[in-house]
Amino acid sequence: MRMYDIIATKRDGKELNYDALKTFVDGYCDGSIPDYQASALLMAMLLKGMTHQEIAELTDIMAKSGDIIDLSGIDGIKVDKHSTGGVGDKTTLVITSIVAACGKKVAKMSGRALGHAGGTIDKLESIPGFKTELTEEEFIENVNRIGCCIAGQTGNIAPADKKIYALRDVTGTVESIPLIASSIMSKKLASGADKMVLDIKVGSGALLKTQEEAEELAEIMIQIGERNGKETIALLTDMDTPLGYAIGNLNEVREAYQNVLGQGPSDLMEICLVLSAEMLKLAGYGSYDECYQAAKEAVASGKAKAKFIELVKNQGGDISVLEPVNDEEVITQELVASEDGYIQSMDTEALGKASMLLGSGRKTKDDKIDYKAGIYLHKKTGMKVSKGDVLATLSATDASKFDEARKVLATAYRYSDKPVETKPIIIARVDKHGIKRY
Ligand code: URA
């Protein structure tokens, strides 16, 4: 089938078969199909949708386009956790420590920042000395020795997705639910875990703005996982406000550490306990209630803290940065409330962008990150404020970054003169049997 016919088939709303999808992926990766034809097909996929069969086949083709990581050198069930990305999402650092402290192995491959949402690898690299680039052998050896390891992707995982994602990013086609599902799941299938917990973020700071879209994505991803023999469950979690109070790499590492000490913000603690319990359950620890209790106990007993420190030291990190210090290099400014009232809503994407503008993320892939840049929130949605109260502290090491960041940040808050009800952090749980909404 010629690429022209593949595009026309999808344009007319018809199903593409395996050969057509493989022709597209292989041809785009080897350079024989140009960007303009690949873009036309991706846009047709976004506008006309894809069948479950097409999504499964595209995922499989992209997963097999590079290395498949073999984690069989690690005993026991390996459970992965994936978040679709949000502002202030530092859960990976916390749950890795909790689950490993409960005796289950965590072999976690993570990514870098994507747009306004932070990435775990950038956060870890804010710890001086922390090594995230490991060989597959080093990665497996670390997990076997201390029970956990968080590293950047080893090997060449799903290179077809990498190339197609880069094109989607500049052609307005990231927002297709079938393409998001196949993109994420192709990487997950190639990275070797046995089972998966998905944290699908919903709200103003997430890729998916509505619960309906998030439920659709969850169902598709679960079907792909189950079809590949990997039990998969998903939690839909709120991203209308940032998670916790800290945004920015080093800020977030410190807040994650506070959380394993049992002193973190309640929304972050709750989501981490629930995600840890789901991972422990899939790993065969016991019933959900037993797993949840074990996760709580790991924090209360100090075992999660000890594991967090062991993880950081094992990968060469300097643990002295986990506690805040008076750092002369860091410049701070405050943003204050412009009116009396209650914070009705926060544009969480704007908060992520403001932090990125301060230097915590990259505008282009070659930008250098300022690990000390970020925002610390003093007030969040639902809280009462008086005009002049400090809403947020901005920090960066480069004074020229503040003006633009402040402008974006100031647009993020909406006020109400009446008390505002806040939403629960866990919105729904989805597995192969269906959806439970909370
Ligand atoms: N993250 C991914 O890896 N792929 C997408 O398509 C969207 C978010």
Side-chain angles (χ1 to χ4, degrees), residues 66-332:
D67 300 339
I68 305 280
I69 304 292
D70 177 7
L71 296 180
S72 61
I74 302 169
D75 281 344
I77 301 168
K78 276 76 67 184
V79 184
D80 196 0
K81 189 264 332 178
H82 179 83
S83 157
T84 54
V87 179
D89 182 359
K90 65 281 285 175
T91 55
T92 296
L93 313 185
V94 181
I95 61 179
T96 299
S97 314
I98 294 178
V99 173
C102 293
K104 293 293 177 189
K105 306 260 171 63
V106 187
K108 185 81 192 84
M109 278 182 207
S110 290
R112 293 188 184 277
L114 213 60
H116 67 276
T120 300
I121 292 302
D122 298 318
K123 295 176 215 239
L124 288 172
E125 286 177 354
S126 72
I127 305 173
F130 196 104
K131 199 171 161 215
T132 57
E133 272 181 39
L134 303 176
T135 63
E136 200 172 319
E137 291 71 34
E138 286 172 320
F139 180 64
I140 290 174
E141 201 265 320
N142 279 331
V143 180
N144 281 332
R145 189 149 38 79
I146 69 158
C148 56
C149 182
I150 310 176
Q153 279 177 4
T154 68
N156 187 25
I157 292 184
D161 171 64
K162 200 169 176 185
K163 194 148 189 241
I164 293 170
Y165 188 87
L167 185 64
R168 286 170 55 210
D169 202 25
V170 292
T171 54
T173 49
V174 167
E175 285 75 7
S176 150
I177 290 175
L179 292 177
I180 297 172
S182 54
S183 164
I184 295 175
M185 291 306 280
S186 65
K187 288 175 286 216
K188 294 286 121 188
L189 295 180
S191 57
D194 303 309
K195 303 188 180 192
M196 274 168 277
V197 174
L198 305 170
D199 178 6
I200 301 187
K201 304 281 180 203
V202 193
S204 65
L207 190 54
L208 302 174
K209 309 291 180 205
T210 69
Q211 183 168 343
E212 204 184 354
E213 290 170 316
E215 286 182 3
E216 187 187 338
L217 180 67
E219 282 173 341
I220 297 173
M221 288 168 76
I222 288 166
Q223 272 188 23
I224 299 172
E226 299 284 339
R227 228 177 140 120
N228 285 277
K230 296 179 191 283
E231 193 177 352
T232 304
I233 73 108
L235 293 172
L236 268 52
T237 66
D238 180 57
M239 193 31 73
D240 261 336
T241 47
L243 202 47
Y245 290 94
I247 308 171
N249 298 293
L250 191 52
N251 281 355
E252 292 193 36
V253 167
R254 286 177 176 151
E255 190 170 71
Y257 182 60
Q258 287 304 307
N259 215 65
V260 292
L261 298 179
Q263 295 159 9
S266 58
D267 59 344
L268 179 62
M269 184 57 106
E270 179 57 9
I271 198 169
C272 288
L273 291 176
V274 172
L275 286 168
S276 300
E278 295 285 2
M279 287 178 76
L280 287 167
K281 182 161 178 278
L282 287 184
Y285 188 92
S287 70
Y288 179 80
D289 288 345
E290 285 164 348
C291 293
Y292 189 86
Q293 279 313 317
K296 263 179 106 166
E297 176 54 26
V299 174
S301 64
K303 284 189 194 149
K305 172 196 168 193
K307 193 53 79 178
F308 191 106
I309 289 177
E310 193 181 9
L311 167 75
V312 174
K313 280 187 174 167
N314 184 53
Q315 288 181 240
D318 172 4
I319 60 162
S320 71
V321 299
L322 298 177
E323 303 281 358
V325 285
N326 217 351
D327 187 338
E328 282 174 11
E329 211 195 350
V330 179
I331 307 159
T332 60

Side-chain angles (χ1 to χ4, degrees), residues 365-416:
K365 71 177 181 7
D366 300 322
D367 282 351
K368 221 173 152 285
I369 284 191
D370 175 357
Y371 292 116
K372 296 174 184 177
I375 298 172
Y376 190 85
L377 304 170
H378 300 277
K379 304 283 181 189
K380 294 210 323 186
T381 303
M383 291 184 180
K384 194 166 191 273
V385 292
S386 302
K387 191 173 172 183
D389 281 355
V390 178
L391 294 177
T393 303
L394 296 79
S395 54
T397 60
D398 177 349
S400 70
K401 303 277 184 178
F402 284 85
D403 284 355
E404 211 187 336
R406 280 186 79 93
K407 271 188 211 140
V408 173
L409 190 60
T411 64
Y413 296 85
R414 294 273 167 280
Y415 300 88
S416 160

Side-chain angles (χ1 to χ4, degrees), residues 35-94:
D35 282 352
Y36 54 83
Q37 284 191 312
S39 312
L41 179 62
L42 291 168
M43 187 55 84
M45 285 169 160
L46 180 141
L47 295 173
K48 297 290 173 162
M50 293 170 77
T51 63
H52 286 279
Q53 183 72 15
E54 285 176 310
I55 301 169
E57 287 177 349
L58 179 62
T59 307
D60 184 63
I61 294 165
M62 294 202 298
K64 291 181 179 150
S65 66
D67 300 339
I68 305 280
I69 304 292
D70 177 7
L71 296 180
S72 61
I74 302 169
D75 281 344
I77 301 168
K78 276 76 67 184
V79 184
D80 196 0
K81 189 264 332 178
H82 179 83
S83 157
T84 54
V87 179
D89 182 359
K90 65 281 285 175
T91 55
T92 296
L93 313 185
V94 181

